[in-house]
Amino acid sequence: MSNKYQELFTPFKIGKVTIKNRFCTGPMGISGIQGSLQDWGPNVQEYYLERARGGFGLITTGVLFADTEIDPFDPKYSKAPLYNPAVFKKGAQHLVERIEAYGAKFFCQASMGLGRVAPGYKSPSPLPNYYMPDKITTALTHDEIKRKIDQVVRTAQLYKNSGVHGVEIHAVHWGYLLDQFVMTMTNHREDEYGGSFENRMRVLKEIVEGIRQTCGDYSIVVRLGLKSYVKAFNKASLTGEEEAGRTLEEGIRVCKELEKYGVDALSVDTGTYDSFYYACPPSYMPKGHALDLYAKAKEAVNIPIMAGSRMGDPDLCLKALQQGKADAFVLARPSLADPYFPRKTERGTPEKIRPCIGCNYGCISKANDLGEFPGCAVNPRALREIEYPEKKAAFPNDIIIVGGGVAGMEAARSAIMMGHKVKLYEKSDHLGGELLAAGNRPLKGEVSDLNEWYQRELKDLNAEIHLNTEMTAEKIIDAHPDVVFLAQGASSVMPRSIVGIDHEKSVSALDAMEGSKPVGDSVVVVGGGEIGCEVAMHFVLQGKKVSLVEAMPDVMSVEFVPRQCKQMLKDMMEYHNVPVYTGHKLVEINDSGALIESSEGERKTLIADTVIMSIGMRPNPSLKEDLAGNGIDVYEIGSGKRQGNIYKAVHDAYEIVYNL
Ligand SMILES: Cc1cc2nc3c(=O)[nH]c(=O)nc-3n(C[C@H](O)[C@H](O)[C@H](O)COP(=O)(O)O)c2cc1C
Ligand code: SF4
């Protein structure tokens, strides 16, 4: 069916290879699913195949390492295909064959290595390690560089021999090893691989030339960060000023040089680990934030520019294509959140696309920072396609869901889709629960998008929803359901012990963010966790005068906060000169505002119209005990059960529904 997005479904070429449309999956080296990637196990295959079924024209793997000799073997990262080429080839051929059935193409990344952003890896010059800045890396010897280049070339050769359609060289981005070679900040070598621009580019040149020599006209993409947004090691530049990494001018020079070497396309983005919120931007970063930079690259070269990073919006992609800012769109996290992004766009139903909320929790933090199995906050099947094949319940249940927040809505959605009979009861006059407060625009607009998505999905599924209906245990027992989900949510903690907690200036974070209580022009936010910092920034962006009070020596130091979110929130608060009173606790809310006390006992009054309390959440009273012993299966889900986040609410709901 023809629709306004048709231009996004015209083919483009990467070298000799034709990609059927403009949608490419973003490479994601997700530990946990990639496994060894020697054998392309069923979960890996199913993950990629699901994205091919979803309509992506190009599927690119996450990082695959070329090195089998120099970098230490770390089980966190997948093994190099060169460890066992025969096994790799067999698995790759099988996957390519199946991916081709959907008309998609399959490229593999080949990485020279990580350098200073991994523990114990060597880099172009001695550099502070990203994770342990007081540890200095060892410089690669000339011979090691040559061997590493050779391994990347041999890896590309293996890809070609395995039927893989192209290679993406990983990566002159995110501050990985090749990026370190190209940037003056990280390359202080005095041999032919350091110093002048030509010398810093030499490794890349030799890799591309090597692949050309051995693989002929094989398609080559380079992943390239156009600008680093770095002030110093481990210090980002929010505004892009005082650039110590790659400037846009040098980024464009790199583009031109790569075109000269014979590279077929550039997959562009921005940022490095040091400026992680540019590399892997949270929702605070506007969508399409780097499009104007991509347009500059597009003007400079004649090879396709594939635009990544916060491009998960079909209208944004269409406009960028029409304005000539990019040729194709690289969707990483949006392809996790909804593998069917292109198909829904092509069908003219973009509103059906489940939005990635840019939380960085499930995909990147769980694996990289918490050492847990990754997933996607909003798509419980992502990376679990094998564990959760689509199914219908053999014995449909009558289900009552109490509470229409995210957990309740997910339980309703998945249960109806699996064939259960569902009635959802919500005591207020609207669905969404805490999503309403959490989905503040512009910082977290995608949480509101998610709320709207759920409501549309439930409408399309003809869900039976009763608003303004408070359920009691008696009413539930009288209705004789087989299963009850209690998704009764949580409320802001408002300690009675604080003098003035009932003062008219005192407002809970939930009420302030939902807009159910007015917030004046000068605001004190009490509680510097992630939510408190987001609340503070939300009102700063509304032009209010905001101070933040936190009892601990630093903000966001108690609960886990994804490092990209934390870094960006801190930099935004610094940029907007938000006074942050760490090591202070709230003593009293009074007519002047907030009386606070430092850990040394010094008191100070912060003049404010409103004092917003963001010191935690407490589960709402549950009906669980009242329902016991009535032959009904009762499950508590969402923030009423365990404090957490959208990930836990969605995953708990889906897991239980799936196994009913
Ligand atoms: C979990 C995760 C793993 C990633 N791994 C890789 C990788 O292996 N290779 C790569 O080039 N980029 C990698 N990236 C970066 C993404 O491809 C992409 O540039 C980034 O997520 C921003 O784009 P998005 O807004 O479309 O997600 C990774 C990102 C995430 C979230
Ligand atoms: S976990 Fe969060 S950031 Fe990652 S893909 Fe899912 S919604 Fe997006």
Side-chain angles (χ1 to χ4, degrees):
M1 191 204 300
S2 158
N3 66 46
K4 71 167 179 169
Y5 301 106
Q6 273 313 302
E7 270 175 271
L8 290 168
F9 294 88
T10 54
F12 79 105
K13 288 191 100 165
I14 301 180
K16 289 254 160 79
V17 174
T18 301
I19 311 296
K20 68 174 177 177
N21 62 35
R22 307 305 174 110
F23 288 115
C24 316
T25 61
M28 279 183 285
I30 300 176
S31 2
I33 70 136
Q34 296 230 145
S36 69
L37 262 180
Q38 289 269 49
D39 49 3
W40 304 91
N43 58 342
V44 183
Q45 300 230 357
E46 201 49 34
Y47 168 73
Y48 289 124
L49 283 166
E50 182 74 348
R51 272 92 204 142
R53 285 180 208 117
F56 281 94
L58 175 61
I59 311 281
T60 301
T61 64
V63 59
L64 299 180
F65 295 98
D67 191 341
T68 56
E69 301 167 18
I70 298 145
D71 289 336
F73 173 68
D74 185 338
K76 187 174 161 196
Y77 306 114
S78 53
K79 266 178 149 186
L82 287 178
Y83 269 110
N84 197 334
V87 172
F88 174 86
K89 185 173 175 180
K90 197 165 165 221
Q93 280 176 333
H94 183 58
L95 183 51
V96 168
E97 193 177 294
R98 293 189 68 192
I99 282 182
E100 281 178 347
Y102 302 99
K105 296 293 190 308
F106 185 59
F107 281 28
C108 289
Q109 283 201 321
S111 178
M112 190 179 176
L114 305 179
R116 68 174 275 268
V117 297
Y121 284 45
K122 295 185 178 180
S123 49
S125 306
L127 299 169
N129 180 276
Y130 167 75
Y131 292 102
M132 296 160 285
D134 48 345
K135 289 230 169 9
I136 301 301
T137 59
T138 309
L140 287 158
T141 64
H142 191 273
D143 173 60
E144 285 170 335
I145 295 173
K146 289 283 184 205
R147 277 155 58 206
K148 273 180 160 290
I149 293 171
D150 179 57
Q151 287 170 329
V152 177
V153 173
R154 282 193 288 123
T155 301
Q157 239 179 319
L158 172 60
Y159 293 166
K160 188 179 178 204
N161 293 339
S162 307
V164 173
H165 301 107
V167 59
E168 178 163 299
I169 297 171
H170 171 281
V172 199
H173 90 155
W174 280 40
Y176 289 124
L177 184 58
L178 275 173
D179 221 7
Q180 291 162 38
F181 268 101
V182 178
M183 284 191 283
T184 48
M185 177 185 185
T186 40
N187 184 342
H188 314 133
R189 296 182 74 90
E190 289 176 355
D191 63 4
E192 73 205 80
Y193 292 111
S196 67
F197 178 73
E198 285 67 29
N199 281 359
R200 285 181 281 120
M201 289 290 289
R202 192 175 306 281
V203 170
L204 261 169
K205 184 167 189 259
E206 291 183 6
I207 288 175
V208 177
E209 282 174 356
I211 297 175
R212 280 279 166 260
Q213 267 163 26
T214 54
C215 305
D217 57 9
Y218 196 48
S219 293
I220 306 175
V221 178
V222 171
R223 196 99 214 259
L224 170 68
L226 288 178
K227 177 169 165 60
S228 309
Y229 290 92
V230 168
K231 272 191 192 164
F233 291 121
N234 294 68
K235 179 86 191 123
S237 168
L238 182 69
T239 57
E241 289 158 358
E242 301 171 55
E243 181 66 80
R246 179 172 306 120
T247 59
L248 177 62
E249 291 66 39
E250 180 141 311
I252 298 300
R253 200 171 165 201
V254 175
C255 293
K256 290 183 182 165
E257 199 69 4
L258 289 171
E259 184 179 34
K260 261 197 247 160
Y261 300 163
V263 166
D264 297 305
L266 299 171
S267 174
V268 291
D269 67 354
T270 59
T272 72
Y273 276 45
D274 301 298
S275 54
F276 226 148
Y277 55 80
Y278 273 100
C280 200
S283 64
Y284 320 139
M285 184 73 78
K287 279 190 183 161
H289 65 100
L291 266 176
D292 289 341
L293 277 61
Y294 303 161
K296 293 261 186 304
K298 180 101 183 78
E299 276 167 24
V301 295
N302 292 311
I303 49 178
I305 295 295
M306 299 156 65
S309 192
R310 301 269 300 139
M311 290 302 299
D313 175 341
D315 289 292
L316 184 68
C317 296
L318 180 65
K319 198 165 160 207
L321 184 66
Q322 288 172 339
Q323 292 180 337
K325 291 184 173 176
D327 299 285
F329 304 96
V330 177
L331 310 183
R333 292 165 299 167
S335 71
L336 263 191
D338 197 335
Y340 287 75
F341 189 115
R343 270 181 67 178
K344 290 175 181 177
T345 305
E346 191 170 21
R347 286 179 180 177
T349 55
E351 72 284 356
K352 301 279 297 173
I353 296 169
R354 176 171 24 205
C356 160
I357 56 171
C359 63
N360 280 3
Y361 176 73
C363 50
I364 194 158
S365 300
K366 271 187 114 241
N368 292 13
D369 295 309
L370 298 169
E372 297 173 4
F373 193 84
C376 170
V378 299
N379 177 7
R381 290 191 67 237
L383 309 175
R384 289 158 176 75
E385 288 83 3
I386 286 278
E387 280 166 65
Y388 291 139
E390 299 278 9
K391 74 165 191 186
K392 286 278 179 202
F395 303 102
N397 287 290
D398 277 333
I399 299 178
I400 282 184
I401 298 170
V402 183
V406 65
M409 291 196 290
E410 174 56 34
R413 184 196 72 90
S414 46
I416 297 170
M417 288 183 70
M418 288 179 216
H420 299 287
K421 202 158 167 283
V422 174
K423 289 180 180 154
L424 187 153
Y425 295 90
E426 162 59 41
K427 69 176 178 193
S428 76
D429 62 357
H430 55 264
L431 294 177
E434 291 145 47
L435 293 185
L436 239 69
N440 63 84
R441 295 185 194 275
L443 283 183
K444 296 186 71 177
E446 281 120 310
V447 171
S448 285
D449 296 343
L450 181 70
N451 186 12
E452 288 159 20
W453 178 83
Y454 266 116
Q455 298 192 30
R456 279 194 302 270
E457 289 294 297
L458 290 175
K459 194 166 171 226
D460 289 354
L461 290 166
N462 290 320
E464 185 177 327
I465 296 169
H466 301 266
L467 296 176
N468 300 307
T469 311
E470 177 143 19
M471 284 308 266
T472 59
E474 293 71 40
K475 285 194 214 169
I476 294 172
I477 294 163
D478 283 352
H480 302 299
D482 302 308
V483 180
V484 171
F485 284 94
L486 299 175
Q488 295 176 272
S491 305
S492 297
V493 172
M494 300 290 279
R496 310 299 318 155
S497 55
I498 292 175
V499 179
I501 197 72
D502 292 326
H503 194 281
E504 59 182 5
K505 290 193 172 189
S506 163
V507 174
S508 75
L510 276 182
D511 286 339
M513 297 303 287
E514 267 184 21
S516 52
K517 294 251 176 83
V519 173
D521 289 338
S522 58
V523 177
V524 171
V525 177
V526 180
E530 186 181 17
I531 295 177
C533 293
E534 285 177 354
V535 169
M537 271 316 301
H538 172 72
F539 288 110
V540 167
L541 295 179
Q542 288 194 355
K544 298 188 192 294
K545 193 169 162 289
V546 180
S547 317
L548 183 66
V549 178
E550 165 57 45
M552 301 302 288
D554 197 4
V555 292
M556 295 178 278
S557 60
V558 180
E559 87 271 54
F560 174 78
V561 181
R563 60 176 67 228
Q564 302 79 11
C565 304
K566 189 175 186 169
Q567 188 190 26
M568 188 160 178
L569 278 170
K570 280 188 166 187
D571 282 5
M572 285 192 294
M573 290 197 291
E574 189 183 313
Y575 177 75
H576 288 278
N577 295 316
V578 177
V580 179
Y581 296 90
T582 51
H584 283 73
K585 60 178 201 278
L586 176 70
V587 179
E588 182 183 312
I589 301 170
N590 55 36
D591 290 346
S592 306
L595 176 66
I596 60 171
E597 186 177 276
S598 74
S599 41
E600 290 83 38
E602 241 172 74
R603 291 192 167 197
K604 182 179 175 70
T605 294
L606 303 178
I607 308 291
D609 301 324
T610 308
V611 179
I612 300 177
M613 297 297 295
S614 179
I615 57 170
M617 302 284 286
R618 178 176 295 135
N620 292 330
S622 166
L623 294 173
K624 187 167 185 191
E625 281 184 14
D626 302 335
L627 290 170
N630 283 285
I632 305 169
D633 290 340
V634 181
Y635 297 98
E636 288 178 302
I637 51 173
S639 56
K641 179 190 174 197
R642 54 171 168 172
Q643 299 290 298
N645 48 28
I646 293 173
Y647 181 99
K648 286 176 185 153
V650 169
H651 279 248
D652 281 359
Y654 191 81
E655 166 69 24
I656 299 167
V657 169
Y658 193 85
N659 290 297
L660 285 177

